[in-house]
Amino acid sequence: MLSVKDLKVSYGAIEAVKGISFDIKDGEIVALIGANGAGKTTTLHAISRLLDIKSGTIMLDEKEISKMAPEKIVSVGLAQVPEGRRIFASQTVFENLKLGAYLRKDTVNIENDIKHCYELFPILEARKTQLAGTLSGGEQQMLAIARALMAKPKVLLLDEPSMGLSPLLVKEIFSIIKEINKSGTSILLVEQNAKMALSIADRAYVLETGKIVLSGTGEELINSDEIRKAYLGG
Amino acid sequence: MYFITYLISGIGLGSVYALIALGYTMVYGIAKMLNFAHGDIIMIGAYVAFFALSRFNVPAYLAVLLSVVVCIALGITIEKLAYKPLRKAASLSVLITAIGVSYFLENGAQLLWTSSPKMFSSIIKSGALELFDGQLSISYITLLTIATCILIMIALTYFINNTKTGSAMRACSEDKGAASLMGINVNRTISITFAIGSGLAAVAAVLLASTYPSVYPTMGSMPGIKAFTAAVFGGVGSIPGALLGGLLLGVIETLAKGYISTQLSDAIVFAVLIIVLLLKPTGILGKKKSEKV
């Protein structure tokens, strides 16, 4: 479905992603794990075209997307839940959800999808007329996920959904991610919380200073000694 | 009665400042830049209306429309040619470019139309509404100015808060990256903002030239600076702030002219600005910027 080949991204003279290749098959959850500064977010931003790539290709269903304008990416079926949520704080929850469906023309279905988001995250319905900036961290994360779902993506890119949340909330968010995946959306999950990510991922790649150093199924990696030592605390 | 007369003419002048300030504040809100060429768009708008009215004898509403269209086209062109290539440059480069564009327009106008002022004939008949046996008189152009400003404010507020494009504009002003993740074309949204600001400047130009009937190449710089002050006064980036700032500035200026001194009126206006900024650095309705770490 989504395949990245030999991707290189640099900030000026500094190369943050040094030629990585990976792919996500239809219906999979693929995790990209690694420490702070490994290049995870850079990779996601390159896929969403928030950053220009230096070389390499990014294909979505046989379609080259690495040269597309950033605002076109969502229309081919890729939506991102960015790091730090980046919800529109001065707009209401409802307006945020509508912005998620910005490019869609099917007004009737949009209403239904908003209802569906409220079913997935009942708290958002209770807060629909509230300004998004007044939500708690967990609620904002839910809103960011719901907003991305409003674009009806084929592949959902999630950047650190566990960041700054209590363990209980992290569990809740991850079970919702699984639920979203079950209803047919492929998922690329970027996480520092390797344990949580590997527990739900079909496959995972380990990124270290811009390179993929390890890959395998979630189960393989969670049981590998290297991963235990480096990311899971012994 | 003098006080009320001053007050109303101050509100009239303030309405013009508010219309111009809207352009500054909207562009700042979205493109995060101070468009110092904004005042010169007023001058171009005034020349277009002048030529349309005096050379081609078109009806007033057509002259206004023509002026709005030309200014919108000019605003979009300036943004495309001068500011868009600098989207990722330091803000100082953009500021200096804006000053350059301002000089370009002023000198271009001088070259084309000479620096001698041209007499602008008001778009409506002169005269005044006399109330209380002629004790209170309000000129028709002041009434028209105030009414226009109210209408535009209502329309603009509705547009920003209730349309898809308005929502996209608010999203861009908050977070351009997140906005483009939604599929919002950020460049197009910036163009639309420049178009709206320049269109409002054209309306302000015609109202201004009808009140002070002389058109010359540097006529936009003083109202431009005043409107910029108004925008800062109210809180730059805030639309109600631009309105409030514009009105306050107009009223303070007119009252200072009436009661204290014509020569000192501008100094008084800026003194009040300094005091406001000392007490509230973000302006009256400015948002406090909190940085999350």
Side-chain angles (χ1 to χ4, degrees):
Chain A
M1 174 144 258
L2 179 71
S3 82
V4 173
K5 272 205 185 69
D6 212 22
L7 177 72
K8 288 184 183 167
V9 189
S10 44
Y11 298 100
I14 300 153
E15 202 167 64
V17 173
K18 302 166 180 167
I20 62 169
S21 301
F22 62 92
D23 66 309
I24 296 148
K25 296 188 187 77
D26 208 351
E28 269 189 324
I29 298 183
V30 171
L32 212 56
I33 59 174
N36 214 355
K40 305 183 302 287
T41 295
T42 306
T43 306
L44 277 199
H45 279 189
I47 297 173
S48 288
R49 297 286 300 108
L50 290 181
L51 281 172
D52 283 330
I53 68 170
K54 199 171 145 199
S55 65
T57 55
I58 303 166
M59 311 278 287
L60 181 77
D61 290 334
E62 315 298 314
K63 197 173 181 183
E64 164 87 57
I65 61 167
S66 44
K67 298 276 182 322
M68 285 177 93
E71 68 271 9
K72 294 278 187 309
I73 291 294
V74 63
S75 68
V76 297
L78 270 176
Q80 193 192 133
V81 180
E83 184 179 3
R85 297 125 201 176
R86 291 171 75 169
I87 43 129
F88 300 109
S90 57
Q91 304 207 36
T92 65
V93 167
F94 178 73
E95 284 176 312
N96 268 272
L97 292 176
K98 276 189 94 167
L99 278 167
Y102 186 74
L103 290 181
R104 290 173 55 188
K105 304 265 186 294
D106 46 339
T107 325
V108 186
N109 296 336
I110 290 175
E111 298 290 327
N112 285 332
D113 288 341
I114 289 181
K115 274 189 204 128
H116 179 245
C117 282
Y118 290 156
E119 280 162 25
L120 208 55
F121 304 104
I123 190 72
L124 294 184
E125 181 162 30
R127 305 245 188 275
K128 62 185 173 189
T129 55
Q130 227 169 292
L131 291 184
T134 64
L135 301 186
S136 73
E139 289 163 358
Q140 290 191 8
Q141 188 63 61
M142 292 175 193
L143 176 59
I145 294 173
R147 184 182 66 174
L149 287 177
M150 287 303 297
K152 294 216 144 200
K154 294 181 206 160
V155 183
L156 182 66
L157 313 173
L158 288 147
D159 197 350
E160 305 275 7
S162 75
M163 195 170 77
L165 301 185
S166 71
L168 210 67
L169 266 173
V170 172
K171 264 200 171 146
E172 196 181 331
I173 296 277
F174 273 72
S175 78
I176 288 165
I177 294 172
K178 264 187 111 163
E179 209 172 302
I180 292 166
N181 175 251
K182 273 198 194 120
S183 61
T185 312
S186 309
I187 285 170
L188 176 60
L189 172 67
V190 157
E191 257 301 337
Q192 277 193 60
N193 186 340
K195 199 173 179 177
M196 272 320 280
L198 291 175
S199 72
I200 67 162
D202 295 306
R203 289 186 303 118
Y205 297 85
V206 181
L207 213 57
E208 223 167 70
T209 56
K211 280 185 180 149
I212 288 175
V213 291
L214 213 62
S215 66
T217 65
E219 213 170 325
E220 276 166 18
L221 290 179
I222 220 165
N223 293 316
S224 105
D225 289 340
E226 281 172 78
I227 296 290
R228 273 178 186 282
K229 271 191 205 128
Y231 302 107
L232 304 179
Chain B
M1 274 306 163
Y2 275 135
F3 178 76
I4 294 171
T5 310
Y6 288 146
L7 191 68
I8 290 171
S9 86
I11 291 172
L13 180 64
S15 299
V16 175
Y17 290 153
L19 288 180
I20 309 168
L22 281 172
Y24 273 112
T25 225
M26 286 173 72
V27 163
Y28 179 83
I30 288 180
K32 301 286 177 267
M33 66 161 291
L34 293 172
N35 179 19
F36 272 117
H38 192 60
D40 300 294
I41 306 248
I42 300 166
M43 173 270 294
I44 301 286
Y47 269 105
V48 171
F50 167 78
F51 285 120
L53 286 169
S54 63
R55 297 282 161 83
F56 303 104
N57 292 316
V58 302
Y61 71 91
L62 259 183
V64 177
L65 195 68
L66 196 67
S67 171
V68 168
V69 170
V70 171
C71 284
I72 286 177
L74 182 68
I76 293 174
T77 313
I78 290 173
E79 196 277 323
K80 280 251 146 53
L81 294 180
Y83 305 146
K84 197 180 161 197
L86 297 172
R87 197 69 36 90
K88 283 176 182 145
S91 57
L92 194 60
S93 316
V94 190
L95 188 70
I96 291 168
T97 306
I99 295 172
V101 171
S102 164
Y103 277 114
F104 176 82
L105 291 176
E106 280 176 23
N107 289 300
Q110 212 162 67
L111 208 64
L112 283 174
W113 305 309
T114 76
S115 56
S116 58
K118 299 194 164 28
M119 255 315 268
F120 191 93
S121 48
S122 174
I123 51 163
I124 54 168
K125 66 176 169 126
S126 58
L129 186 67
E130 306 279 345
L131 292 171
F132 307 110
D133 301 327
Q135 285 192 61
L136 178 63
S137 89
I138 312 160
S139 71
Y140 291 133
I141 187 68
T142 302
L143 286 174
L144 179 70
T145 305
I146 295 171
T148 309
C149 181
I150 292 171
L151 274 178
I152 286 178
M153 276 309 292
I154 291 171
L156 194 67
T157 307
Y158 180 84
F159 173 77
I160 301 277
N161 290 325
N162 297 293
T163 66
K164 208 171 164 180
T165 311
S167 172
M169 286 171 80
R170 282 182 292 145
C172 282
S173 82
E174 217 175 306
D175 186 336
K176 287 194 195 56
S180 71
L181 285 179
M182 304 298 109
I184 295 167
N185 187 332
V186 176
N187 282 325
R188 204 178 130 251
T189 309
I190 292 177
S191 278
I192 294 172
T193 311
F194 269 86
I196 294 173
S198 306
L200 296 182
V203 175
V206 175
L207 294 170
L208 196 67
S210 296
T211 317
Y212 306 98
S214 120
V215 176
Y216 52 98
T218 53
M219 67 173 281
S221 61
M222 206 52 196
I225 288 174
K226 293 265 182 64
F228 169 64
T229 310
V232 176
F233 221 157
V236 72
S238 154
I239 289 176
L243 176 71
L244 186 67
L247 291 179
L248 274 176
L249 203 81
V251 170
I252 294 171
E253 185 182 325
T254 313
L255 290 181
K257 265 186 190 147
Y259 288 110
I260 305 171
S261 146
T262 314
Q263 277 92 12
L264 275 178
S265 66
D266 286 347
I268 292 163
V269 166
F270 286 103
V272 174
L273 173 78
I274 291 169
I275 292 166
V276 167
L277 291 186
L278 280 175
L279 296 174
K280 201 160 181 306
T282 51
I284 301 169
L285 297 180
K287 287 179 206 124
K288 213 171 83 188
K289 237 195 177 163
S290 56
E291 301 268 330
K292 250 190 187 168
V293 274

